[in-house]
Amino acid sequence: MSSLDQNNSPEINSTKPNHINPSKSSAFEEKGSSLWRDAWHRLQKNKMALLGLVVMVTMCIVALLTPWITVYGYEEQNLVLGASPPSAAHWLGTDTLGRDLLTRILYGSRISLAVGFIATAVALLIGVIYGTVAGYMGGRVDAAMMRLVDILYALPFMIFIILLMVIFGRNIFLLFLAIGAVEWLTMARIVRGQVQSLRQQEFVEAAVSIGLGPWAIIRRHLIPNTLGPVIVYTTLTIPNVMLLESFLSFLGLGIQPPQSSWGLLISYGVETMEEYPWLLIFPGLALSLTLFALNFLGDGLRDALDPRAAKD
Amino acid sequence: MSEKTQESVLRVDDLSIRFKTRNGSSQAVDSVSFEVARGETLAIVGESGSGKSVTCYSLLGLIPQPPGVIESGVAQFASQGQQRDLLRSDKQTLRSLLGDKIAVIFQDPMTCLNPYLTIGEQLVEPLRQHKNKSREQARQRAIELIEEVGINNAKMRFASYPHEFSGGMRQRVMIAMALITEPELLIADEPTTALDVTIQAQILDLLDELKKRRNIALIFISHDLSVVASIADRVAVMRAGEIVETGEAQQIFKQPQHPYTQQLLASVPSGPKPAQSSQVDPQTQPLLKVEHLQTVFEQGKAGLFAASPAPTIAVNDVSFELRHHEILGLVGESGSGKSTLGRSLIQLIKPTAGSVQLDGQELTQLNPKQLKPLRQRMQMIFQDPYASLNPRMTVFDTLAEPLLYHRLATRKNVTPQVLALMDDVGLAHADIRKYPHEFSGGQRQRIAIGRAIATKPELIVADEPVSALDVTIQAQILDLILSLVNKHNLSMLFISHDLSVVRYIADRVLVMHQGKLIESGDTETLWANPSEAYTQTLFAAVPQLGSH
Amino acid sequence: MARFILIRLLQAIPVLLVVITVTFFLVRLAPGGPFSAEKAVPAEVLKALEARYHLDQPVINQYFSYLGDLARGDFGPSFKYPGRSVNEMIAAGLPATAELGLYAMCFALLIGASAGVIAALKPNSAQDYIPMSTAMLGICLPSFLLGPLLMLIFGVWLEWVPVSGWGDIPGDKILPALTLASGYTAYIARLSRGGMLEVMSQDYIRTARAKGLPEWKVVLKHGLRGGMIPVIAFIGPAFAGLLSGSFVVETIFQIPGLGRFYVQAAFNRDYTMIMGTTVLFATLIILFNLLADIVAVWLNPRLRDLYRSGGA
């Protein structure tokens, strides 16, 4: 996975026939199996995680293609029809204004997934940089940086987000920022812990004794080894973020109509659930299914990337 | 076989255990038979993975099933005239024997005691469980035993938590805990492996004495032949799940029959260095000159309301010289500061005071940039071959990194140099694209050595390079190091807690104790006449193969 | 130990001050005021109102006089409900919120920890999969979805329990408490499973087994303490989460608690009410974090020694 590895593979392959005696290697495959490949093999054995991956990939593709594959517009009303249960024309039924629910769920998925991915990316960026710096610097810098994280942890963030959304209007970019700003804390802690324990590993000492500079050590020795937990935590942050977005939209503080998001659809569904239960059940199902898929995938990745599992 | 008149406490016949995993199964124990009598110490010796621990744990129902499957075997345990087959007893029966008639002592006393409960609470548990003693009776008995295993102030120590004890003390507690129900069979699994050599000697004596006093059967599991030689009556040698040879300790050590036993014994470093390093040069300027070196660690940080704890002086006013082409041994027990000294020399840790000169050039004042060209000339080999290699880099990456970084090769022509290095350390060319986890411990250490010699350094600091390895592998790596030192004219500081290893490899020896260098001299001279009291104790504590 | 608590309490003061300051200026700097929504208010009346609540003075003066009031335990008058003080409103809302939170916390701890421990005793068996899959359900069915669904199923369709209300009919507290607890139950189940698995693989558990102790004793006496440490550490954050979760549950089930007041206050820009609830919530969260830390120290003899000997 390192750059050196990739840059040099052609040379190695070209010199191989001259140097390698095939009889020596009969018991082994010639190309080593990296930890990434081993992890991928372990993940493939986890059916639920694979299913989660397939669901997520499908969902992302469908969300991207939504404007081209839907028959109805997401604001297209049919007041004559009104709320109707699932039928051949409207697979998941229509809402009180006669809008096709499936279309609205698909458009909602675009918002919900986008918030999930973008806000997580914000959290990832801040968290990884902050955590790496704190862990690598150590000492007083680390103590001060982590104390700040501790203090932020103690703040009632949910309350702040609600305040922000109320006061500065329901701006979707503000939503990304606000959610990302909450979720980076845990990421920073995880990365910092990883970096700190890696720094004490002998292979990092060996890199120092070779004379590698800090940047080379971070890039070649620290980051590749923190990627596992970061990937796992990212996978588990996305559902958290989507949950937060739906939560805010449900309270009326997130996405604004006429845009739709799953939280918003659920909140409409709740209002009318006694007469038109499908308006609650289908958006709820979409949200739960996504959360399930991501959580199973995250758990599967955690098991697959667990260094302890890699030892045997 | 004179002791055979004694009744046999445990008799194992044809025990076979298989571990079944998703990727296939492996024969952990293959048709093993042995017996141990009252008052006798049977040592089961073998390298890691030989199945010695699995054998004993299976008798106690302590291996998880699955994946373990006991395929065949009988284990007759005789207690108070009653014979029981441990392998066919139900859980209830086994549980009633375990911790009562059969007791176990484990390897690492640091992790084997529950950190959340007091020593006393843990000590009285077997008595309360099996003997129906009242709390007060159990307490009395526990305090007596704490005294018997040589812990002072037993009454106060009863209420202490494990973290308040040193490793040796914790192992004494473990022994007391095992003996509190007066068992008839004691199984000790590497009970001294995690301990310093002087503490090891004390614990071995204690075990032997308690065994004799109580006339119990002792099964002593160990990888260390020298330790076994000092305690065993009979020895069973295991390899790959089989017992290859059993016999009286005398006979095993004097006239080993099986080739593997012979190989094992030959691998134990004993006696002086076979040949001096090629040409140690006493006249010219030393390669490394250390003067009044001091390394201090600050402990924690001062809190708002708490005073900063006293700093630890890990290396205290150390001065010595390392000559060209010399292997200098550095011995000391854990916490003596020997590793810190090694790291301070090559500037992995900044020393607090003093000077380190490599070939006349002062190192302690240089910044990382200035140090970089010098780093080619000094390298380090680390203890743990599992931690010293980046798990995400192939052999090629690991070996090419120093060459490329110091511009000793370009990306175009680095491959032949890497292959030459692999030849040097005895790795197959075919393995060049493999990752560390695909290698055994010995092979990993070869990779680490290859990385250290890649830049053709003059000085290598080797910090316990063989102490994580099995004895046969250890012998191979030691010979590899010796041959590389001669071939590349290296000078080496060889740090080890194992005095036999140091005697085998070093030309001169430094002895370190509590951060200070207390004695130094030519290896054989020092061995014959240690002058400091501490050095004498240290040498006396080393278990010897011929000591039985 | 007393010193440890004292230090932590002292450390809480700056954190609280940060919360107060940030919230105060956030609220004041936002466009719109508490009386701007009511269009028909004549200028003189608005002026009089502002004068009455000291809104005509510079913000910085308002800030310090608010701090002064706060130091005396006075949260000030409500802007939206003339004649009622924030203290009164909190006193009216807190009992319901506290009761709801308490039930939910007890439920989450009891059910979550037992499920996790049971699952950890036989990993990768039905005994593991069944409770943990149920736990996954709790994570993937957020409260704003689970609450309405439970209401729909048990209240509307089956008519087993009342749909809303608080303390009017016996049993009407079950659904809200269950809804609020579900996510945390699931999370605690996972934490305790992870903690127990970690502990049960420790050497000292093998020692306990080698003493011939029955398995339940090994688990309860030797395993539980270490295994619960991650759960204890989670109590602080869980409490913060329960508080913000109560916004939704109180809204859905129409419970007259603080959460509902808070959301209303945020929409209405009832400055003093927002401030009051925020400060209260922040204080509670800090206190619960401290409580969790104290329990964690008390459970771990090594930490206990560390704090006894004065090294804070």
Side-chain angles (χ1 to χ4, degrees):
Chain A
M1 275 293 150
S2 72
S3 57
L4 206 73
D5 181 7
Q6 284 157 1
N7 294 344
N8 282 278
S9 45
E11 282 120 50
I12 294 215
N13 289 334
S14 63
T15 52
K16 241 181 201 168
N18 308 328
H19 291 280
I20 289 164
N21 176 359
S23 65
K24 268 190 188 171
S25 62
S26 56
F28 305 97
E29 45 176 342
E30 283 192 0
K31 185 149 168 57
S33 77
S34 76
L35 291 179
W36 297 113
R37 197 133 52 114
D38 288 1
W40 173 236
H41 284 308
R42 275 195 296 273
L43 187 68
Q44 280 176 319
K45 284 184 191 156
N46 187 335
K47 295 286 171 267
M48 290 314 282
L50 271 193
L51 191 66
L53 186 65
V54 171
V55 169
M56 276 324 291
V57 171
T58 318
M59 214 167 255
C60 290
I61 293 173
V62 171
L64 280 176
L65 298 179
T66 296
W68 294 278
I69 57 174
T70 46
V71 185
Y72 305 94
Y74 77 99
E75 279 185 278
E76 196 179 314
Q77 302 185 352
N78 186 342
L79 292 170
V80 182
L81 184 62
S84 70
S87 63
H90 301 278
W91 293 356
L92 299 184
T94 51
D95 68 7
T96 44
L97 298 176
R99 292 177 294 193
D100 182 59
L101 186 59
L102 178 62
T103 307
R104 291 188 60 77
I105 288 178
L106 287 181
Y107 274 97
S109 77
R110 288 160 70 84
I111 301 278
S112 294
L113 289 174
V115 173
F117 287 112
I118 296 174
T120 302
V122 172
L124 192 70
L125 195 72
I126 306 177
V128 169
I129 293 174
Y130 196 91
T132 309
V133 170
Y136 189 80
M137 303 288 279
R140 277 171 215 282
V141 178
D142 175 45
M145 287 175 81
M146 291 328 281
R147 178 56 61 88
L148 179 69
V149 169
D150 287 343
I151 289 175
L152 290 178
Y153 251 112
L155 298 183
F157 254 105
M158 203 58 216
I159 291 174
F160 271 130
I161 292 188
I162 291 177
L163 264 187
L164 272 177
M165 299 313 289
V166 167
I167 292 165
F168 294 104
R170 291 138 220 185
N171 182 325
I172 193 163
F173 292 101
L174 196 68
L175 190 67
F176 293 153
L177 268 179
I179 295 176
V182 180
E183 296 287 337
W184 73 269
L185 293 172
T186 312
M187 182 68 83
R189 275 194 175 173
I190 289 173
V191 172
R192 180 253 186 184
Q194 281 288 313
V195 169
Q196 212 179 27
S197 76
L198 282 172
R199 273 208 65 180
Q200 290 161 1
Q201 297 264 328
E202 288 178 345
F203 72 81
V204 176
E205 280 193 291
V208 176
S209 80
I210 284 169
L212 258 62
W215 176 237
I217 289 173
I218 289 178
R219 192 173 57 84
R220 290 176 55 80
H221 294 276
L222 295 181
I223 288 185
N225 284 293
T226 52
L227 274 182
V230 168
I231 290 174
V232 171
Y233 186 68
T234 306
T235 325
L236 296 173
T237 301
I238 297 172
N240 268 347
V241 169
M242 293 179 64
L243 207 61
L244 209 54
E245 180 273 322
S246 329
F247 178 78
L248 289 171
S249 298
F250 177 84
L251 286 180
L253 297 171
I255 305 302
Q256 274 190 313
Q259 277 181 316
S260 84
S261 92
W262 291 342
L264 211 57
L265 290 175
I266 291 172
S267 110
Y268 285 147
V270 170
E271 287 167 20
T272 57
M273 69 181 182
E274 291 182 30
E275 305 98 79
Y276 318 119
W278 62 89
L279 291 181
L280 171 64
I281 290 171
F282 290 121
L285 217 56
L287 178 64
S288 284
L289 191 67
T290 313
L291 295 179
F292 261 111
L294 279 165
N295 274 302
F296 274 121
L297 182 60
D299 282 0
L301 281 172
R302 191 205 311 269
D303 291 344
L305 292 167
D306 186 355
R308 270 172 296 188
K311 270 181 193 157
D312 51 47
Chain B
M1 302 274 157
S2 53
E3 288 100 329
K4 277 285 93 62
T5 48
Q6 283 268 21
E7 52 170 322
S8 144
V9 174
L10 177 71
R11 188 191 173 89
V12 174
D13 267 312
D14 191 34
L15 174 67
S16 291
I17 302 166
R18 186 168 267 284
F19 275 91
K20 289 187 173 151
T21 58
R22 250 186 244 171
N23 306 327
S25 69
S26 61
Q27 193 77 41
V29 177
D30 193 358
S31 186
V32 158
S33 307
F34 61 88
E35 62 182 309
V36 57
R38 189 164 270 282
E40 181 188 50
T41 302
L42 169 75
I44 302 180
V45 196
E47 298 186 286
S48 54
S50 62
K52 53 192 195 301
S53 294
V54 175
T55 302
C56 289
Y57 289 174
S58 71
L59 304 176
L60 312 175
L62 288 180
I63 55 168
Q65 300 179 29
V69 181
I70 294 174
E71 291 185 318
S72 70
V74 178
Q76 287 295 337
F77 176 67
S79 161
Q80 296 164 333
Q82 213 184 344
Q83 291 275 342
R84 285 194 196 86
D85 182 353
L86 295 178
L87 298 175
R88 273 163 199 80
S89 300
D90 56 84
K91 272 192 173 162
Q92 207 63 38
T93 320
L94 212 54
R95 213 175 270 154
S96 70
L97 291 173
L98 213 53
D100 185 14
K101 302 277 181 269
I102 306 174
V104 194
I105 301 168
F106 295 101
Q107 171 171 352
D108 189 352
M110 304 310 273
T111 58
C112 281
L113 289 167
N114 190 332
Y116 301 110
L117 300 175
T118 62
I119 294 295
E121 251 173 286
Q122 301 184 56
L123 268 170
V124 300
E125 239 174 354
L127 276 183
R128 304 266 299 151
Q129 180 68 29
H130 299 289
K131 303 287 194 210
N132 252 327
K133 289 268 176 17
S134 74
R135 196 156 272 285
E136 187 48 36
Q137 285 171 318
R139 200 181 93 95
Q140 284 305 328
R141 184 75 196 107
I143 289 172
E144 284 167 32
L145 239 100
I146 297 176
E147 272 167 7
E148 194 181 344
V149 297
I151 297 173
N152 298 328
N153 214 348
K155 265 189 191 139
M156 249 184 66
R157 295 307 238 165
F158 184 85
S160 304
Y161 285 93
H163 70 269
E164 298 170 58
F165 290 78
S166 67
M169 284 297 163
R170 288 192 207 192
Q171 202 57 304
R172 285 170 195 267
V173 171
M174 282 295 291
I175 293 172
M177 201 149 76
L179 294 179
I180 198 160
T181 53
E182 302 297 336
E184 289 162 52
L185 172 65
L186 179 60
I187 296 174
D189 183 11
E190 306 262 9
T192 60
T193 306
L195 304 174
D196 274 329
V197 60
T198 51
I199 310 292
Q200 165 170 288
Q202 294 166 12
I203 296 289
L204 286 175
D205 284 348
L206 178 71
L207 263 180
D208 201 41
E209 186 194 318
L210 291 170
K211 181 208 81 176
K212 286 193 177 116
R213 201 183 297 161
R214 287 171 161 75
N215 196 31
I216 55 180
L218 174 61
I219 296 179
F220 190 97
I221 303 170
S222 181
H223 71 286
D224 189 329
L225 286 152
S226 316
V227 166
V228 164
S230 66
I231 195 166
D233 299 314
R234 283 193 311 122
V235 178
V237 182
M238 276 192 89
R239 185 189 59 176
E242 285 178 83
I243 292 188
V244 297
E245 187 168 3
T246 324
E248 300 296 315
Q250 288 284 355
Q251 182 226 323
I252 293 276
F253 287 108
K254 293 277 161 11
Q255 293 147 337
Q257 300 299 309
H258 194 277
Y260 177 67
T261 316
Q262 292 165 357
Q263 189 201 345
L264 266 186
L265 284 167
S267 302
V268 177
S270 60
K273 186 169 182 170
Q276 288 291 304
S277 295
S278 46
Q279 48 307 106
V280 178
D281 199 340
Q283 289 93 5
T284 56
Q285 193 194 18
L287 175 65
L288 186 76
K289 193 172 162 134
V290 179
E291 282 174 324
H292 306 296
L293 193 72
Q294 190 177 52
T295 304
V296 178
F297 289 121
E298 276 181 50
Q299 287 197 324
K301 50 186 188 302
L304 193 55
F305 298 89
S308 174
T312 320
I313 304 175
V315 176
N316 192 355
D317 194 19
V318 166
S319 306
F320 68 91
E321 290 177 355
L322 174 64
R323 283 168 274 193
H324 284 279
H325 317 314
E326 179 182 51
I327 300 183
L328 182 60
L330 174 60
V331 299
E333 296 188 288
S334 57
S336 61
K338 55 189 193 305
S339 282
T340 309
L341 174 57
R343 284 169 167 76
S344 301
L345 295 182
I346 63 168
Q347 310 297 310
L348 280 179
I349 298 173
K350 274 281 167 210
T352 321
S355 106
V356 177
Q357 290 176 10
L358 181 73
D359 228 355
Q361 183 164 9
E362 179 62 47
L363 300 180
T364 55
Q365 306 301 326
L366 302 180
N367 64 31
K369 212 166 220 157
Q370 294 165 316
L371 264 173
K372 191 189 157 188
L374 286 161
R375 291 232 177 257
Q376 279 191 50
R377 299 176 59 186
M378 49 183 194
Q379 280 295 309
M380 184 146 181
I381 301 171
F382 296 89
Q383 169 173 3
D384 184 354
Y386 288 87
S388 67
L389 299 172
N390 185 338
R392 307 220 181 254
M393 281 167 70
T394 61
V395 175
F396 175 84
D397 287 333
T398 301
L399 294 182
E401 187 172 57
L403 292 169
L404 294 173
Y405 202 73
H406 286 287
R407 304 193 190 287
L408 300 173
T410 61
R411 281 172 193 273
K412 284 221 165 60
N413 64 16
V414 72
T415 310
Q417 287 196 48
V418 168
L419 289 171
L421 272 175
M422 291 177 75
D423 283 335
D424 254 3
V425 295
L427 289 167
H429 287 184
D431 293 341
I432 190 166
R433 305 278 288 162
K434 284 196 187 165
Y435 290 85
H437 67 276
E438 300 173 84
F439 292 96
S440 67
Q443 285 173 308
R444 284 164 176 243
Q445 202 58 309
R446 285 174 193 269
I447 302 172
I449 291 172
R451 174 180 57 194
I453 62 168
T455 57
K456 306 234 177 306
E458 295 147 80
L459 169 69
I460 287 186
V461 172
D463 186 9
E464 305 263 15
V466 295
S467 47
L469 305 174
D470 276 325
V471 62
T472 51
I473 310 296
Q474 172 175 308
Q476 291 165 16
I477 298 292
L478 283 177
D479 288 337
L480 173 68
I481 290 177
L482 278 178
S483 76
L484 289 173
V485 163
N486 282 332
K487 184 174 170 192
H488 297 291
N489 271 328
L490 297 168
S491 311
M492 181 177 279
L493 181 73
F494 189 98
I495 303 171
S496 181
H497 71 286
D498 188 329
L499 290 119
S500 312
V501 166
V502 169
R503 187 181 177 195
Y504 179 76
I505 203 166
D507 303 302
R508 238 162 22 100
V509 176
L510 310 171
V511 182
M512 218 171 156
H513 183 50
Q514 294 180 349
K516 290 196 168 174
L517 218 52
I518 58 168
E519 195 162 2
S520 67
D522 286 334
T523 308
E524 285 312 307
T525 324
L526 189 72
W527 232 261
N529 280 314
S531 56
E532 293 290 321
Y534 173 75
T535 318
Q536 288 163 5
T537 329
L538 195 64
F539 285 8
V542 178
Q544 297 288 328
L545 265 189
S547 69
H548 199 79
Chain C
M1 199 67 197
R3 186 152 85 171
F4 164 70
I5 297 170
L6 184 74
I7 290 171
R8 287 291 304 266
L9 285 176
L10 286 176
Q11 282 174 348
I13 292 173
V15 177
L16 266 182
L17 213 59
V18 170
V19 173
I20 295 166
T21 314
V22 171
T23 320
F24 187 90
F25 288 101
L26 211 58
V27 174
R28 296 298 151 112
L29 294 178
F35 312 111
S36 61
E38 293 156 48
K39 281 167 196 142
V41 179
E44 333 52 288
V45 178
L46 188 66
K47 235 187 164 103
L49 272 172
E50 285 189 341
R52 188 167 144 216
Y53 295 112
H54 310 294
L55 288 179
D56 50 350
Q57 289 173 20
V59 176
I60 198 77
N61 291 6
Q62 293 181 36
Y63 172 67
F64 283 108
S65 74
Y66 184 76
L67 279 186
D69 288 347
L70 211 54
R72 288 191 301 274
D74 180 7
F75 287 117
S78 164
F79 288 175
K80 266 291 146 163
Y81 299 92
R84 293 188 71 182
S85 74
V86 174
N87 292 49
E88 280 169 30
M89 290 173 67
I90 287 177
L94 193 58
T97 301
E99 204 184 341
L100 178 64
L102 191 72
Y103 292 154
M105 189 69 119
C106 290
F107 187 84
L109 277 176
L110 278 176
I111 309 286
S114 338
V117 171
I118 289 169
L121 291 184
K122 261 200 165 175
N124 304 320
S125 69
Q127 192 183 322
D128 180 15
Y129 291 139
I130 294 170
M132 292 327 283
S133 311
T134 319
M136 188 74 104
L137 210 66
I139 289 177
C140 298
L141 275 176
S143 60
F144 58 86
L145 181 57
L146 181 66
L149 280 178
L150 286 178
M151 238 156 92
L152 190 64
I153 297 171
F154 295 104
V156 179
W157 292 347
L158 297 173
E159 296 184 4
W160 285 1
V161 284
V163 175
S164 63
W166 184 252
D168 307 329
I169 313 158
D172 62 358
K173 293 178 183 174
I174 296 176
L175 285 190
L178 208 69
T179 304
L180 185 54
S182 70
Y184 299 92
T185 313
Y187 214 84
I188 286 173
R190 295 178 132 206
L191 280 176
S192 40
R193 176 182 183 267
M196 285 306 281
L197 277 183
E198 177 88 36
V199 167
M200 294 307 282
S201 67
Q202 295 285 318
D203 287 348
Y204 64 80
I205 296 296
R206 192 181 51 186
T207 310
R209 291 208 172 108
K211 286 176 184 173
L213 298 180
E215 191 63 19
W216 64 267
K217 223 172 186 174
V218 174
V219 173
L220 292 186
K221 188 168 176 193
H222 290 268
L224 206 57
R225 265 214 217 190
M228 284 303 113
I229 282 179
V231 176
I232 306 284
F234 179 62
I235 287 181
F239 185 77
L242 281 179
L243 278 181
S244 43
S246 71
F247 299 168
V248 164
V249 175
E250 286 174 14
T251 312
I252 296 172
F253 290 94
Q254 292 164 19
I255 297 165
L258 266 190
R260 243 174 94 203
F261 285 166
Y262 180 78
V263 178
Q264 283 165 9
F267 276 114
N268 294 339
R269 291 169 204 254
D270 190 344
Y271 291 168
T272 41
M273 187 64 197
I274 294 174
M275 290 297 301
T277 14
T278 307
V279 171
L280 181 75
F281 282 175
T283 315
L284 286 175
I285 289 170
I286 289 169
L287 279 180
F288 266 79
N289 272 319
L290 175 60
L291 200 67
D293 285 356
I294 291 172
V295 176
V297 169
W298 174 69
L299 277 178
N300 189 337
R302 192 181 311 198
L303 285 178
R304 223 184 305 166
D305 262 19
L306 214 64
Y307 287 111
R308 196 175 291 147
S309 64

